[in-house]
């Protein structure tokens, strides 16, 4: 186990990007008690910090096949996704572009286990996720997936540091959280400090600027060290400069921690910084690059 | 752990919760207070209803000519030999008319002239077995023993005083607005009042109800004419009897119809007035433990007294036989049922307050779930399970229930305990008398804290609140997270 204080400032970590897709997460890396056995490390109630370590077995982290999604509006059935296939390797970063209303968010929700597809399968670490119980899927969301939304989506009643601690609060029992509280708080503090929010720990989301809120949201998404980060237009609500800074931070963490990143963006320059770019056109995925 | 953390955070950051908690607090507190006061009132009312009634009353069908013995002693012997019986005494009762002060001629005129009928009062004449002259020596012994530090009441006095409230009625302070004249020695009431000068005639003494005494304008030591109608022992025809008595003093029971409609005299005195036919009409019995033995003793006495021919036996006429031995509850059956009914009704009505209070929790939580839709979506995205969300919102209900019932129980118990202090504070603050002591016999508001009732109220409020909280909590668990997450 690595010392929780080892979380340095963004970009200062010598570990570069990990193009081989090796697994940066050691066994027992996640603070979750998910009852699923998957290809990746599962869940001990431990401090979810570990050195990027041994590569994972072959096979993609995420594998979606034949995803369809349709909504019934009255009599009519609108199909948003017409059979999407997608593989996401460990550690790679994928940009998803496409016109507004093309179904990008819908796809992310399906891949993020928030929305059940009308047809198709989503495998995460080799586990067919939509065959699991709701509680098991919740545990996967908690330990394996971090979300970053366009509208930050922080809990307004919680302070910045409490928002960051939320994933750990959910994965830990009351007793477990109390036991690890000091360590977890220290880790959250260090993360926020590294993100330039050292003076904002006790502030509520309402007292923070958009850029600050999004950085808190990124810290929250990263807190349980998930192997997959899903970001839906993370800069869509920010001005250009603030958006640049937030993206810089996200890419730096990606390089340092080696998680897989799936990000919706409208910015071609951002897309070009990712290892792959996909385009969603009328509910289908086209490879851009 | 987020369930406890978040539910508490939501509780303290949402003001509406305090409305809910206050609602439950008020409901539980009021319920405990009202129920305690009602229980107090009912206990007092039960005691009042019972009044001077003995536990068991034997009324032989004497005048039906069934050949029942004319003296109470054989029956008293049987009754007193029972271990469950604490005391027993015989009484003779009859009805009469009273004429107060004034010449007997004027009073006779009053009898004939109907318009003046309010000068006459129909009263119950009760001959009690206290004994006067022949027991004076016993009383002397008692006084002596009391002086020596012993507490001893002569057995004969004990019978009468134990079975009825006569002693208490004789000792009670006179009503402030009426002219009471308590007797000098309540243990020997049928004696000449202090300073009384016997004016030639040898008259018996009577004790008059305080209100009757006031109404008739009687004087302690003054004379009182009692008229009765009795069947002639020989011819069987009805004849009127009248006799003058000396008012030895007054008694006060606090019950209006008793205080205006009853006079006491020695049993043998009344026996003499009624033409020396019947020595007693009823035997009053006090048991050691009425609640335990009441109905058993009642049943046994019907059989034992019947077998000995002291009352009409069962095989002669079962219905008459049973009606000769009654408990005090038999006399007050209707009123007791009414009280019991009232208590049940009250419980039901008051439970509605609880339901209403719990319903505010339902409304508040439903509002909160709607308001917190986005939070629920966020929590789902971060990994909260539907079950976790259900418990989170249920826990908010739990906090509401816990704080509401806790404070409610506290205030309710304090309120019931200090109800009289609260009442006098409020009365002086508002300048009105909230508890009118002239309306009730009690001088203080009676409140009886019943632990079982309090636990039932708290447990009931708690579970009803949780039950109501469960509905919005269940809704929270079933919300679609996507809808909340898609837009700001
Ligand atoms: N609950 C829903 N019911 C009906 N249509 C929906 C629903 N949610 C999304 N849509 C539609 O699905 C389409 C795709 O939406 P979305 O995935 O948000 O697109 P994008 O993120 O690419 O802009 C849109 O036309 C939207 O109106
Ligand atoms: Mg979108």
């Amino acid at each position: 186990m690595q010392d929780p204080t080892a979380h340095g400032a963004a970009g200062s970590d010598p570990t570069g990007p990990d193009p081989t897709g090796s697994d940066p997460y050691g066994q027992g890396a996640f603070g979750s008690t998910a009852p699923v056995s998957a290809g990746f490390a599962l869940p001990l109630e431990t401090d979810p910090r570990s050195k990027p370590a041994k590569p994972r077995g072959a096979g993609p982290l995420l594998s979606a096949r034949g995803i369809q999604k349709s909504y019934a509006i009255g009599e009519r059935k609108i199909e948003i996704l017409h059979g999407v296939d997608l593989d996401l390797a460990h550690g790679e970063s994928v940009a998803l572009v496409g016109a507004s209303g093309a179904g990008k968010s819908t796809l992310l929700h399906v891949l993020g286990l928030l929305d059940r597809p009308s047809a198709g399968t989503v495998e995460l670490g080799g586990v067919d996720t939509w065959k699991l119980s709701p509680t098991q899927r919740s545990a996967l969301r908690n330990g394996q997936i971090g979300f970053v939304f366009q509208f930050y989506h922080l809990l307004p009643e919680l302070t910045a540091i409490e928002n960051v601690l939320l994933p750990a609060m959910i994965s830990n029992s009351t007793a477990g959280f109390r036991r690890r509280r000091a360590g977890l708080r220290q880790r959250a503090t260090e993360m926020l400090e590294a993100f330039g929010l050292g003076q904002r720990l006790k502030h509520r989301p309402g007292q923070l600027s958009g850029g600050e809120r999004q950085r808190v949201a990124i810290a929250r998404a990263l807190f349980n060290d998930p192997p997959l980060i899903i970001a839906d237009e993370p800069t869509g609500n920010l001005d250009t400069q603030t958006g640049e800074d937030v993206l810089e931070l996200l890419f730096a963490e990606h390089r340092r921690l080696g998680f897989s990143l799936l990000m919706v963006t409208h910015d071609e320059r951002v897309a070009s910084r990712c290892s792959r770019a996909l385009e969603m056109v009328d509910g289908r995925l086209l490879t851009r690059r | 752990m987020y369930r406890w953390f978040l539910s508490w955070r939501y509780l303290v950051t949402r003001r509406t919760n305090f409305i809910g908690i206050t609602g439950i607090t008020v409901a539980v507190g009021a319920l405990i207070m009202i129920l305690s006061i009602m229980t107090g009132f009912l206990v007092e009312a039960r005691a009042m209803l019972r009044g001077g009634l003995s536990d068991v009353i034997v009324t032989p069908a004497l005048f039906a000519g069934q050949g029942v013995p004319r003296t109470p002693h054989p029956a008293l012997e049987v009754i007193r030999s029972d271990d469950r019986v604490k005391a027993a005494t015989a009484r003779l009762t009859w009805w009469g008319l009273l004429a107060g002060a004034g010449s007997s001629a004027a009073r006779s005129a009053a009898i004939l002239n109907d318009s003046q009928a309010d000068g006459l009062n129909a009263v119950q004449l009760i001959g009690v077995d206290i004994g006067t002259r022949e027991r004076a020596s016993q009383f002397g012994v008692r006084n002596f023993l009391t002086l020596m530090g012993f507490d001893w009441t002569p057995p004969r006095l004990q019978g009468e005083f134990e079975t009825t409230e006569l002693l208490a009625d004789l000792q009670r302070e006179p009503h402030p607005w009426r002219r009471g004249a308590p007797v000098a020695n309540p243990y020997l009431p049928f004696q000449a009042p202090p300073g009384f000068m016997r004016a030639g005639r040898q008259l018996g003494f009577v004790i008059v109800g305080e209100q009757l005494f006031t109404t008739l304008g009687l004087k302690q030591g003054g004379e009182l004419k009692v008229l009765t109608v009795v069947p002639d022992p020989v011819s069987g025809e009805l004849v009127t009897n009248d006799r003058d008595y000396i008012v030895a003093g007054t008694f006060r029971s606090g019950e209006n119809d008793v205080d205006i409609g009853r006079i006491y005299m020695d049993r043998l005195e009344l026996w003499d007035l009624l033409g020396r036919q019947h020595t007693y009409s009823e035997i009053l019995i006090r048991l050691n433990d009425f609640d335990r033995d009441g109905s058993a003793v009642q049943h046994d006495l019907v059989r034992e007294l019947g077998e000995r021919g002291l009352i009409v036996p069962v095989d002669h006429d079962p219905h008459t036989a049973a009606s000769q031995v009654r408990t005090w509850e038999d006399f007050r059956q209707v009123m007791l049922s009414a009280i019991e009914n009232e208590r049940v009704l009250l419980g039901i009505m008051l439970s509605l307050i609880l339901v209403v209070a719990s319903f505010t929790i339902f409304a508040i939580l439903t509002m909160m779930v709607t308001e917190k839709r986005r939070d629920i979506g966020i929590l789902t995205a971060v990994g909260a399970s539907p079950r976790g969300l259900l418990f989170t919102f249920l826990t908010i209900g739990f906090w509401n229930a816990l704080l509401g019932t806790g404070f409610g129980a506290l205030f309710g118990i304090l309120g019931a305990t200090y109800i009289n202090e609260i009442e006098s504070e409020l009365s002086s603050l508002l300048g009105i008398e909230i508890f009118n002591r002239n309306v009730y016999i009690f001088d203080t508001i009676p409140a009886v804290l019943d632990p079982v009732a309090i636990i039932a109220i708290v447990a009931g409020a708690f579970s009803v609140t949780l039950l109501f909280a469960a509905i919005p909590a269940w809704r929270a668990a079933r919300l679609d997270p996507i809808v909340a997450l898609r837009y700001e």
Side-chain angles (χ1 to χ4, degrees):
Chain A
M1 276 294 121
Q2 193 182 8
D3 186 337
T5 57
H7 195 288
S12 69
D13 195 301
T15 323
D18 194 355
T20 61
S22 70
D23 174 20
Y25 302 95
Q27 293 289 324
F30 309 113
S32 142
T33 48
V36 276
S37 106
F40 38 72
L42 276 180
L44 293 171
E45 281 196 2
T46 55
D47 185 310
R49 266 283 114 159
S50 66
K51 234 183 196 101
K54 50 181 165 174
R56 224 154 294 250
L61 170 66
L62 182 80
S63 174
R65 288 287 171 274
I67 301 293
Q68 294 179 16
K69 181 71 195 179
S70 53
Y71 290 108
I73 295 180
E75 301 279 284
R76 276 194 318 143
K77 216 168 108 183
I78 305 175
E79 194 161 282
I80 311 288
L81 302 176
H82 315 279
V84 171
D85 297 334
L86 174 69
D87 279 333
L88 201 61
H90 289 280
E92 74 169 331
S93 57
V94 175
L96 184 58
V97 297
S100 182
K104 306 180 296 294
S105 296
T106 306
L107 178 62
L108 291 200
H109 291 148
V110 170
L111 299 179
L113 313 184
L114 283 167
D115 206 3
R116 184 184 284 275
S118 313
T121 56
V122 179
E123 285 187 12
L124 189 61
V127 176
D128 189 346
T129 53
W130 288 100
K131 290 226 169 76
L132 301 172
S133 74
T135 304
Q136 289 172 321
R137 252 195 318 279
S138 296
L140 279 184
R141 275 197 302 272
N142 179 242
Q144 312 300 327
I145 305 172
F147 285 97
V148 181
F149 299 98
Q150 180 181 352
F151 299 114
Y152 332 120
H153 286 333
L154 301 173
L155 293 191
E157 262 99 13
L158 270 52
T159 61
I161 191 165
E162 285 165 349
N163 265 292
V164 174
L165 281 167
L166 200 57
M169 289 186 197
I170 289 173
S171 55
N172 280 286
S173 67
T174 306
F177 187 84
R178 189 167 303 148
R179 229 177 312 121
R180 292 186 198 90
R181 195 160 94 170
L184 289 170
R185 281 194 79 88
Q186 190 181 355
R187 187 170 124 73
T189 307
E190 280 160 6
M191 273 177 101
L192 287 173
E193 277 169 356
F195 288 5
L197 295 166
Q199 306 302 311
R200 296 273 184 267
L201 300 178
K202 294 274 167 59
H203 289 217
R204 297 271 162 94
Q207 300 164 302
L208 300 175
S209 72
E212 288 170 331
R213 285 190 223 179
Q214 196 61 301
R215 276 179 279 173
V216 173
I218 291 172
R220 179 181 68 188
L222 296 176
F223 195 75
N224 270 0
D225 253 352
L228 173 62
I229 295 289
I230 292 177
D232 194 349
E233 300 185 41
T235 59
N237 219 30
L238 302 173
D239 64 69
T240 318
Q241 186 51 49
T242 314
E244 294 269 309
D245 294 349
V246 165
L247 274 176
E248 205 50 59
L249 181 97
L250 191 58
F251 278 116
E253 289 299 296
H254 173 247
R255 274 196 305 280
R256 195 171 69 83
L257 298 168
F259 49 79
S260 303
L261 176 65
L262 178 59
M263 177 164 63
V264 170
T265 180
H266 286 302
D267 191 334
E268 287 297 335
R269 283 181 306 141
V270 174
S272 67
R273 290 180 68 176
C274 294
S275 38
R276 273 202 293 152
L278 304 169
E279 182 169 5
M280 175 141 264
V281 181
D282 290 338
R284 289 199 168 78
L285 268 192
L286 307 175
T287 307
R288 274 283 205 83
R289 184 162 55 78
Chain B
M1 70 73 67
Y2 70 103
R3 175 203 326 177
W4 296 104
F5 170 75
L6 262 189
S7 59
W8 184 257
R9 184 59 60 87
Y10 282 164
L11 183 86
V12 295
T13 51
R14 299 282 123 186
R15 290 253 167 81
T16 44
N17 277 304
F18 293 100
I19 298 173
I21 292 171
T22 310
I24 299 178
T25 300
V26 169
V28 169
L31 208 61
I32 289 175
M33 259 175 82
I34 293 172
L35 219 68
S36 298
I37 293 170
M38 273 314 293
T39 308
F41 267 97
L42 291 181
V43 166
E44 296 274 332
R46 205 179 139 89
M48 250 176 69
L49 262 187
R50 177 169 187 162
L53 285 178
S54 319
D55 292 333
V56 181
I57 297 150
V58 180
T59 320
L62 271 180
F63 298 115
Q66 303 287 354
V68 178
R70 288 198 168 178
T71 70
H73 301 295
L76 278 173
E77 218 162 280
V78 171
I79 293 163
R80 283 178 179 150
S81 67
D82 194 318
D83 285 344
R84 295 165 295 187
V85 171
K86 191 178 182 193
T89 189
R91 266 188 178 199
L92 179 59
T93 60
W94 199 246
W95 291 93
L97 292 169
L98 285 196
S103 73
S104 54
R107 290 295 148 194
S108 303
I111 300 168
L112 301 172
N113 186 347
D114 217 10
S115 66
Q116 291 258 314
D118 56 338
L120 280 171
N121 290 58
V123 294
Q124 196 178 17
L125 309 174
I126 300 182
V128 296
D129 235 354
I130 291 176
T132 316
R133 272 145 290 187
E134 66 269 34
R135 296 296 152 191
S137 57
Q138 269 192 356
F139 189 77
V141 172
R142 181 189 176 276
N143 267 355
F144 176 70
L145 285 172
T146 308
L147 229 83
M148 304 286 289
F150 296 99
D151 189 23
W152 180 75
T153 310
R156 192 127 172 245
L157 302 186
Q158 198 174 12
E160 180 62 36
F161 289 147
E162 281 283 337
T163 52
T164 67
E165 286 198 334
L166 181 58
L167 183 61
D169 291 353
L170 289 169
Q171 289 172 324
R172 195 164 282 130
E173 281 290 305
H175 192 283
W177 299 343
R178 301 192 198 113
R179 303 184 304 109
V183 295
N185 183 353
Y187 286 94
L188 285 175
F190 305 122
Q191 280 192 324
F196 175 73
M197 300 297 287
R198 208 175 282 278
R201 286 200 292 170
Q202 283 285 325
L203 299 177
F205 292 97
V206 292
I207 302 291
V208 181
E210 184 187 84
Q211 203 169 343
L212 187 67
F213 182 83
T214 310
T215 309
L216 291 182
L218 297 176
K219 283 201 230 15
Q220 194 168 26
E223 286 185 17
L224 172 70
K225 189 180 285 297
V226 177
L227 301 128
T228 65
V229 178
V230 287
D232 185 88
V234 183
S235 65
E237 276 174 39
L238 290 175
V239 293
T240 51
N241 260 354
D242 69 292
R243 193 171 291 182
D244 290 325
Y245 291 94
I246 289 170
V247 178
T250 61
F251 70 90
R252 179 181 171 221
S253 71
E255 278 181 76
N256 209 40
D257 50 349
V258 169
D259 287 348
I260 200 160
R262 194 178 273 189
I263 67 172
Y264 286 100
M265 62 180 79
D266 191 274
R267 185 165 63 87
L268 296 178
E269 199 82 61
L270 185 58
W271 166 73
D272 195 46
L273 174 69
L274 300 183
R276 303 199 170 211
Q277 301 177 57
H278 308 290
T279 57
Y280 78 110
S281 44
E282 60 192 16
I283 293 173
L284 309 181
I285 302 166
R286 180 74 69 198
L287 302 181
N288 290 315
D289 187 346
F290 174 76
D291 293 333
R292 194 189 64 199
D293 301 327
S295 52
V297 169
Q298 180 184 20
H299 180 262
D300 292 351
L301 284 183
V302 171
R303 192 174 40 80
E304 285 174 23
L305 294 174
E307 276 171 4
R308 287 170 174 77
L310 298 168
I311 60 172
V312 176
V314 178
D315 49 14
H316 186 277
D317 177 358
H319 184 75
T320 309
S323 71
Q324 293 172 112
V325 181
R326 286 171 290 179
T327 66
W328 75 270
E329 285 172 336
D330 295 333
F331 284 89
R332 297 284 194 254
Q333 200 52 59
V334 177
M335 284 301 280
L336 282 179
S337 308
I339 288 178
E340 214 46 53
N341 234 18
E342 198 170 327
R343 199 205 291 264
V344 171
L345 256 171
L346 201 80
I348 293 170
M349 301 296 252
L350 292 181
S351 306
L352 286 180
I353 302 179
L354 255 184
V355 173
V356 170
S358 308
F359 195 79
T360 60
I361 299 297
F362 169 76
I364 287 164
L365 269 181
T366 302
M367 251 166 59
M368 200 187 288
V369 168
T370 310
E371 191 187 332
K372 292 274 162 226
R373 233 186 138 84
R374 204 170 66 98
D375 287 29
I376 291 167
I378 295 166
L379 286 165
T380 308
V382 180
S385 64
R387 216 162 48 136
L389 288 167
L390 179 116
F391 280 121
T392 301
F393 282 87
L394 204 58
T395 309
I396 301 175
F398 167 82
W399 291 126
N400 276 295
L402 188 77
L403 293 172
T405 54
F407 284 127
L410 187 73
F411 290 138
I413 291 168
L414 284 179
T417 309
Y418 296 105
I419 183 68
N420 286 292
E421 285 82 347
I422 293 169
E423 186 266 338
S424 69
E425 277 294 315
L426 271 182
S427 289
S428 66
L429 199 73
L430 301 175
I432 50 164
E433 195 176 8
I434 294 169
F435 180 75
N436 188 345
R437 284 170 174 74
N438 298 322
V439 173
Y440 302 98
I441 288 213
F442 353 108
D443 298 327
T444 55
I445 304 171
V448 175
L449 282 172
D450 177 4
V452 175
I454 292 170
I455 289 168
I457 290 168
V458 167
F462 199 88
S463 37
V464 171
T465 306
L466 269 193
L467 210 70
F468 271 123
I471 301 164
W474 182 77
R475 242 171 46 98
R478 285 176 45 97
L479 274 184
D480 183 1
I482 299 304
V483 182
L485 288 176
R486 219 170 242 285
Y487 315 99
E488 182 159 49

